[in-house]
Every structure is written in structure tokens, then in C-alpha cells.
Amino acid sequence: MDKHLIRGGNPLYGEVKISGAKNSVLPILAACLLTDQNVRLSNIPHLNDVTTTMELLGQMGVKLTVQEDLSIEINAKEVNNFYAPYKLVRTMRASILVLGPLVTKYGQARVSLPGGCAIGHRPVDFHVLGLRKMGADIDVKNGYIDASVKGRLKGAELSFDVVSVTGTENLMMAAVLAEGTTVIKNAAREPEVCDLANFLNSLGAQISGFGTSTIVIDGVDALSGGSYRVLPDRVETGTYLVAAAMTGGKITAKNTSPDLLTVVLEKLEEAGANISFGKDWITLDMRKERPKAVNFTTEPYPGFPTDMQAQFLALNTIASGKGEITETIFENRFMHAQELRRMGANIKLSGNKAYSVGAPHLTGAQVMATDLRASASLVLAGLVARGQTLVDRIYHIDRGYECIEEKLAQLGADIKRIPDASSI
Ligand code: UD1
């Protein structure tokens, strides 16, 4: 397994180009199953999760061609296999996103249950209940969801107890080709849900209300083809900004959108950063200052994103003052805390809260990545630690950060990838 070797102490300076959003591109690729026409997607990040999704769609019969400009041309006219096997779903929970499109377009699907996930229980009951309410016959057994419907799915009123991002997306995609109107209440308002809705509408879907907690979808008979550019990645943007804040540097994130990061930018300002931005760029200047600790509670959008929690906990460990972070989305999302402690961080966990007392510096250590955003927090900690940090199991980071070591190195970090077989 590859590792990252980091020698801490360099402040970050310069420009970093932000990639397309992982959490947009995955549902948008799945949504390509809904049309027989050609679709061209651009601003696609080169990530392991994208490769896995392409492999999943490819084995269903979808034709995917990567163009010279790295956009992808997709045609799903000859889909002949409606099966998402465990070996692919296991590595990427978002594979569940093919369920809604397959049932609504082809009347059948067999999708593996995602199984245990490091950051919590993460069930898919909303996905299943919603499709049942729309008329699908669903059997969940032997680790698989078997779904079928005779004729078309029927529009229905759907409501979630808890806000679910992929649940909203799956049912929205199913509703696009259903007969009649579907109303999704307590829907996720995340920008990636809006990106998916905008993409589907560009192909002729009739979706309104996205970005609010009630989404209304009027089913149509078929979708057309088209071209679409995926939204910038707000979590990747936030991660580089936190990295600059922790190291006392000054960076500009380009090809991004400040509108997607309002609460994150507010927290960075509270931590002492000077922030300026334009339509598609954000500059953070820490003026060589040590950050101040911040307090927050993770919430569904537009609240503070759970996907930025780990990075801010890393910031709090070297900030001045005490920090208190409450995680409300996932029940087991503090696994980075014990790894950060190995680097000298003073963190106490109690239930869904992480209390920290910032130290002037961390010390390098050998640590292990446990999930995608946790791995990012360990890399950030390594950037400010004294000495050498070795982050193991960085396959997690490759799921969601395009060329992270190249991008950080360009900003002045001392980081390199140690390939699997090498010894150091
Ligand atoms: C998505 C994001 C992930 C982000 C998360 C929360 C993608 C590919 N992933 O994950 O990066 O951290 O949103 O913003 O977009 N729940 C249920 N039953 C369900 C579905 C969810 O109880 O059927 C619960 C989950 O256990 C969790 C909460 O709802 O406590 C939110 O989960 P959800 O929004 O569904 O997360 P994902 O869509 O998997």
C-alpha cells in the first residue's frame, strides 16, 4: 500500500487548481444510465472513485470514452446487465446510486448492500423505502437488493426522517422517468444535489425546488443527450485552505466557487485568516500567524459540512486556545483523533464531541489513514509537525483527492508518495 512521507514545517504559498467535485461526478455518472443518447461530461477529477464508477457502468454495457481534454463521452444505449457486484460496491458506497436509475429505466436491478463503513453504520433504508413507495418490488437478502417493477415507477410523496444526500439523489433520479409527480420532503440541499438536478434538467428532466428541502419532479418519458461541466469540489477547496491556514501561509484556490463554502470561509476567518475572493477563486492569507481554535457542529448543508470536520480538528490541535467540535451526521467519525494523538495532539473524545487544546506544534509519527477525510487531516497535521510523518493506507485519500502530493508540493510542501514495494 502506498504511503505519504511528509517533512513538516514549510508554509504553503502559491496557487492550486481545484478539481471537479467527487460527490457531483459520481451521481452524474450514474444518471447517464437514464438516457440512450450521448452525454459528454467535463471537469472530471481523476480519482479512484471515478474509476470504480466507470468500471461499474462499463460492466453494465455503458460505453465510456475518455477524450483528449479528459472529458468523458458516455452512451448507455446498450445496457444489458443490471448488476452491481459486492466487489465494487464494497470499495465505494456511492455505487448504490445506480439503483434508482436501473429500476426506473430498465425495471430491474441487483445491487449489493454497501456493508460496514468505517465512519458509521450508514444504512440505505431510505433508498429502499422510497423506491417501494414508487411501486418497486424490493427484496433485500443475502447481502443484495433485488428490485423490479412492471411498467413504470409511479410518482409518490417521499419523506426522510434524516437528511440523506445519496438517498435524495437516488430517488430524484428514479422519479425523473416515473409516471406522474414525485415530491421529496426533507430533501438534502447540498450543492451536489443541485448539480445533479441541473444536469438532469439539461437533458430534459422536470425538476424544481432543488436547493430547498422540498424537491418536485414531474416524470418525463425519456431524456435527451447533452454536455455538462461538473461543479468544483468544495471539500477539496476547503482542505487546501485549511492547510494554508495551519502552515501560516498564503494560497489562492482557483477554478472553485466561494458561494459553496460560506460557513467554511466564516470559520477560517474566525481562525484568524484573511480571506478575499472573486467569482471562481479564493485567497487565504494567514500572515504567518498561528490560527485560533474554532468551535462548530456539523450539519446538513448549508450548515458546517461533516466532510470538513477532520481537517478542522487537525487545525484545532495546533491552534491557540481550546476547541469543541460536535459531529451530528455520522456516529463514528473521529477515528483520526487517535492518530492525531500519536503526533502529540491533545484531544479528548466524549460521545459525539471532540475537545482539543492546541499545542504550538505536533511531532512527526507513523500514522494510519482510516477514511477519506481522516486521511486528509493526517496529511495536514504532517505539514506542520516537527520531523517526519508517514501516512499509511493512503488509498483512502486517492478516492477523493486528485494528485494531492503534486498539488501540495507545488505550494511548497515537502511531501512525496512512497510506492507500495519500497522501503524507507
Ligand atoms: C454523502 C456524501 C458524503 C457526506 C455525506 C453527508 C456522496 C457520495 N457522499 O454520503 O461525502 O459525508 O453525504 O454530507 O455524496 N441515513 C440513514 N438511512 C439511509 C441513508 C442515510 O439512516 O438510507 C443516515 C446516515 O447513516 C447518516 C445520515 O443519514 O447518519 C446522512 O447520510 P447520507 O447523507 O445518506 O450520506 P451519504 O449520502 O452516504
Side-chain angles (χ1 to χ4, degrees):
M1 276 177 265
D2 289 5
K3 300 174 176 57
H4 275 140
L5 179 65
I6 306 159
R7 287 189 184 84
N10 296 0
L12 301 189
Y13 285 100
E15 290 183 352
V16 59
K17 203 172 141 216
I18 299 303
S19 304
K22 170 181 91 72
N23 286 355
S24 273
V25 77
L26 302 182
I28 287 175
L29 279 168
C32 291
L33 285 165
L34 294 166
T35 176
D36 291 339
Q37 313 280 318
N38 283 348
V39 174
R40 195 184 181 109
L41 300 177
S42 57
N43 204 26
I44 305 289
H46 183 64
L47 300 172
N48 281 358
D49 274 10
V50 173
T51 315
T52 306
T53 307
M54 289 172 68
E55 192 184 336
L56 180 62
L57 296 177
Q59 57 100 42
M60 288 174 180
V62 179
K63 300 271 179 300
L64 300 119
T65 324
V66 180
Q67 307 291 326
E68 258 175 41
D69 63 356
L70 298 181
S71 64
I72 310 181
E73 187 94 28
I74 300 152
N75 186 287
K77 194 167 56 190
E78 285 168 19
V79 168
N80 53 17
N81 173 18
F82 314 103
Y83 175 53
Y86 178 65
K87 91 170 166 29
L88 292 176
V89 180
R90 185 174 59 104
T91 59
M92 190 191 65
R93 196 188 133 77
S95 313
I96 190 76
L97 286 165
V98 298
L99 180 65
L102 286 176
V103 184
T104 198
K105 177 92 188 328
Y106 298 99
Q108 54 179 310
R110 180 168 165 75
V111 178
S112 169
L113 284 168
C117 173
I119 65 169
H121 180 43
R122 299 180 96 179
V124 290
D125 49 331
F126 299 153
H127 306 238
V128 169
L129 291 173
L131 287 171
R132 275 202 183 120
K133 222 169 163 200
M134 296 173 81
D137 202 357
I138 303 191
D139 209 9
V140 184
K141 66 167 192 245
N142 304 333
Y144 276 87
I145 304 170
D146 279 300
S148 62
V149 62
K150 287 200 177 61
R152 286 169 73 179
L153 290 173
K154 305 271 183 296
E157 188 154 311
L158 311 172
S159 184
F160 295 114
D161 297 339
V162 178
V163 177
S164 168
V165 175
T166 49
T168 302
E169 291 166 344
N170 228 340
L171 297 173
M172 187 164 80
M173 289 188 281
V176 158
L177 295 181
E179 206 178 318
T181 300
T182 299
V183 179
I184 305 178
K185 293 194 168 158
N186 202 17
R189 298 159 62 185
E190 267 64 4
E192 295 77 18
V193 173
C194 300
D195 207 29
L196 173 65
N198 281 321
F199 166 65
L200 289 165
N201 280 349
S202 76
L203 305 185
Q206 301 282 329
I207 307 173
S208 56
F210 49 94
T212 77
S213 54
T214 303
I215 301 179
V216 179
I217 307 114
D218 290 315
V220 296
D221 292 342
L223 295 181
S224 65
S227 298
Y228 194 77
R229 187 178 165 79
V230 171
L231 196 75
D233 199 308
R234 63 193 165 105
V235 182
E236 190 198 20
T237 308
T239 302
Y240 286 108
L241 295 177
V242 173
M246 287 173 73
T247 62
K250 177 182 179 182
I251 69 158
T252 297
K254 296 177 72 178
N255 289 10
T256 188
S257 172
D259 295 349
L260 307 175
L261 284 127
T262 309
V263 275
V264 170
L265 298 183
E266 277 168 16
K267 278 295 149 196
L268 284 165
E269 279 180 332
E270 212 179 299
N274 184 45
I275 305 239
S276 52
F277 55 82
K279 188 170 167 285
D280 63 354
W281 58 269
I282 303 168
T283 296
L284 177 143
D285 187 357
M286 206 62 196
R287 302 189 191 101
K288 303 191 172 80
E289 297 283 322
R290 181 179 175 197
K292 296 192 271 286
V294 291
N295 304 329
F296 60 86
T297 298
T298 62
E299 285 168 348
Y301 194 83
F304 190 96
T306 175
D307 285 351
M308 285 301 303
Q309 177 257 101
Q311 300 87 320
F312 271 86
L313 179 57
L315 178 140
N316 275 356
T317 65
I318 52 107
S320 57
K322 293 179 180 176
E324 181 182 327
I325 296 178
T326 309
E327 170 61 54
T328 70
I329 307 293
F330 294 114
E331 70 271 23
N332 189 23
R333 207 175 194 178
F334 279 129
M335 280 177 306
H336 40 288
Q338 69 199 44
E339 297 301 299
L340 289 169
R341 278 193 202 124
R342 291 170 50 74
M343 301 175 72
N346 183 347
I347 305 170
K348 201 175 101 212
L349 296 181
S350 173
N352 67 344
K353 289 183 188 292
Y355 301 95
S356 57
V357 183
H361 39 252
L362 298 174
T363 45
Q366 193 159 346
V367 289
M368 197 181 300
T370 48
D371 69 61
L372 171 54
R373 307 305 168 185
S375 359
S377 75
L378 299 177
V379 170
L380 300 193
L383 295 177
V384 292
R386 284 192 169 164
Q388 188 168 294
T389 297
L390 189 68
V391 185
D392 200 354
R393 302 205 174 174
I394 58 164
Y395 60 87
H396 288 293
I397 228 171
D398 293 331
R399 290 187 41 221
Y401 290 90
E402 182 173 42
C403 305
I404 188 165
E405 64 270 16
E406 282 92 337
K407 290 188 184 188
L408 284 172
Q410 252 177 23
L411 294 169
D414 185 345
I415 176 170
K416 62 180 175 199
R417 179 176 293 253
I418 310 292
D420 191 12
S422 331
S423 59
I424 55 158

